[in-house]
Amino acid sequence: MLNRVSLRQMEYFVATAKYGSIAAASAQIHISSPSISAAIAHIESELNVQLFVRHPSKGLGLTAIGTLVLNQCQDVLERSSRLYEIASDSGDVMQGPLRVGSFQSLTAMIAPEVIFRFARAFERVEMQMVEGDQEVLMNKLRSLEIDVALTYDLRLDDDIEFESLATLPPYVLVSELHPLAQQKAVTFEELAPQPFVLLDLPMSRDYFTSLFASVGLTPNIVARSRSEEVVRSMAANGIGYALFNVRPKSNLSLDGKRMVRVRLAGKHRPMLLGLATYKPMKQSRLTQAFMDRCRAYISDQYIPGMSAASFFDPHPVAPETQETPDSRDAPPAQKP
């Protein structure tokens, strides 16, 4: 009876027929070879038929009855997938779990407006946000623990699809009392001997040190932290300068010290902010809708929670004339 053959077992059988061997199917669908072998053996036992003939030089070949079973399995799988599409499309309802990864230094700025307002707009969406560095997020995409990640274009392998939404060039962050705070722009030659506080996240640290390496210099690292706010506070307290790509609207550290953003002279490799997905995984309608929201809300013209790319504060400003974050960045036009 076919109700004793699961859809998953049919999928494994169809994949094996498509790729010509259990090993090839295992590599393509990321299921262990023993699991696929067991599924095929179960179908053969239930139907009392032989599905494949093994050819020493050509791999597996379908038997005549195997071809008929393959056609029926493909039909069943297609019909079953339509059930979910019909349910999803019915009434244009957005519902179900959505698991979004967020690069940890971006989360405080982007998550409230982009991630959680999406969940509030669709009450039947079960939003789960996962924070992490690039290595964590890529591993979670591959293990299917998250559906999509808002992150950077840092060391992306061929199995990751990345869509750039905005460009984040590097800049220098210093205390308002730092000598470099008086300059409109600084060079890496000026920065190299100065004390440097490094944001010490996997891949991020390589990015920042590579900026120096690209001009044949080595930074003078005196402190490091995995926390963006700790690095900002150390810079604000004069421990050293820091390099960042994200642009928080606030120019105060958590302990109330004022910081100054200074432009880097020349052209340097920016970080690209965008959407990362796992190529072998077909995106659900819900994930696609969330990605559309990200495209509408994140661009070079506007990034939630960040100041404009053109804004720099190369010298201390008196409190009575200081430009406020709200005056620097007008919110985007109301979106549907």
Side-chain angles (χ1 to χ4, degrees):
M1 294 176 62
L2 276 179
N3 61 353
R4 292 199 294 260
V5 176
S6 71
L7 294 175
R8 188 70 66 197
Q9 289 166 337
M10 293 185 194
E11 289 175 352
Y12 296 171
F13 163 56
V14 170
T16 303
K18 177 179 179 181
Y19 295 110
S21 76
I22 290 174
S26 173
Q28 291 295 325
I29 66 175
H30 305 283
I31 301 296
S32 69
S33 294
S35 296
I36 296 175
S37 296
I40 293 172
H42 178 81
I43 296 174
E44 289 181 325
S45 175
E46 285 295 321
L47 301 180
N48 194 26
V49 298
Q50 181 179 354
L51 299 174
F52 292 105
V53 174
R54 183 178 298 278
H55 301 292
S57 61
K58 298 181 180 179
L60 297 177
L62 282 168
T63 63
I65 188 66
T67 300
L68 295 176
V69 173
L70 173 65
N71 293 336
Q72 292 300 314
C73 286
Q74 289 174 324
D75 185 58
V76 170
L77 291 172
E78 183 178 352
R79 289 174 181 272
S80 67
S81 67
R82 280 295 300 151
L83 289 176
Y84 292 99
E85 291 177 16
I86 292 169
S88 177
D89 293 340
S90 177
D92 217 22
V93 173
M94 287 291 177
Q95 60 183 337
L98 178 62
R99 303 161 305 169
V100 178
S102 177
F103 195 93
Q104 59 194 62
S105 64
L106 296 168
T107 303
M109 290 162 278
I110 288 180
E113 185 169 337
V114 177
I115 298 176
F116 288 102
R117 282 193 183 177
F118 179 84
R120 289 177 61 185
F122 303 100
E123 295 181 356
R124 298 174 68 175
V125 170
E126 302 163 23
M127 177 65 75
Q128 178 187 355
M129 186 186 73
V130 177
E131 292 182 75
D133 56 46
Q134 188 78 337
E135 186 175 7
V136 168
L137 295 180
M138 295 304 102
N139 288 337
K140 288 189 177 295
L141 279 175
R142 292 187 178 97
S143 62
L144 307 184
E145 295 178 65
I146 58 176
D147 304 303
V148 60
L150 273 163
T151 187
Y152 295 119
D153 62 328
L154 290 172
R155 206 180 301 172
L156 301 170
D157 293 331
D158 291 340
D159 61 345
I160 299 297
E161 186 78 37
F162 183 81
E163 178 185 348
S164 175
L165 301 178
T167 302
L168 295 176
Y171 66 89
V172 181
L173 187 72
V174 295
S175 160
E176 64 177 333
L177 301 178
H178 195 286
L180 295 178
Q182 301 294 330
Q183 299 184 201
K184 292 185 177 181
V186 296
T187 66
F188 279 110
E189 286 75 15
E190 293 174 290
L191 289 175
Q194 296 282 341
F196 176 35
V197 182
L198 174 67
L199 181 60
D200 196 18
L201 292 172
M203 302 187 199
S204 294
R205 72 172 77 94
D206 297 334
Y207 164 77
F208 290 120
T209 55
S210 73
L211 295 175
F212 288 91
S214 67
V215 291
L217 297 171
T218 301
N220 177 24
I221 301 173
V222 297
R224 59 181 73 207
S225 173
R226 292 175 60 91
S227 166
E228 180 190 25
E229 288 302 334
V230 171
V231 173
R232 284 166 57 85
S233 291
M234 285 196 282
N237 281 273
I239 307 301
Y241 70 90
L243 293 177
F244 281 106
N245 297 82
V246 294
R247 307 184 296 263
K249 288 188 176 182
S250 173
N251 59 2
L252 297 178
S253 62
L254 290 182
D255 62 353
K257 302 292 195 308
R258 187 172 180 277
M259 299 168 288
V260 173
R261 277 181 59 202
V262 184
R263 189 187 310 274
L264 270 170
K267 292 185 178 181
H268 308 285
R269 190 262 201 206
M271 281 193 185
L272 300 181
L273 166 60
L275 297 164
T277 53
Y278 185 45
K279 284 183 180 178
M281 184 66 180
K282 181 180 178 182
Q283 301 309 314
S284 69
R285 180 169 169 267
L286 178 56
T287 303
Q288 291 173 359
F290 173 76
M291 293 172 69
D292 284 341
R293 178 183 178 86
C294 293
R295 295 180 185 108
Y297 274 71
I298 301 174
S299 68
D300 286 332
Q301 287 69 48
Y302 177 80
I303 302 175
M306 294 195 200
S307 63
S310 60
F311 173 77
F312 284 91
D313 186 8
H315 53 82
V317 180
E320 62 269 19
T321 61
Q322 182 175 332
E323 188 177 26
T324 65
D326 289 340
S327 68
R328 293 197 299 265
D329 293 276
Q334 187 67 34
K335 297 177 175 64

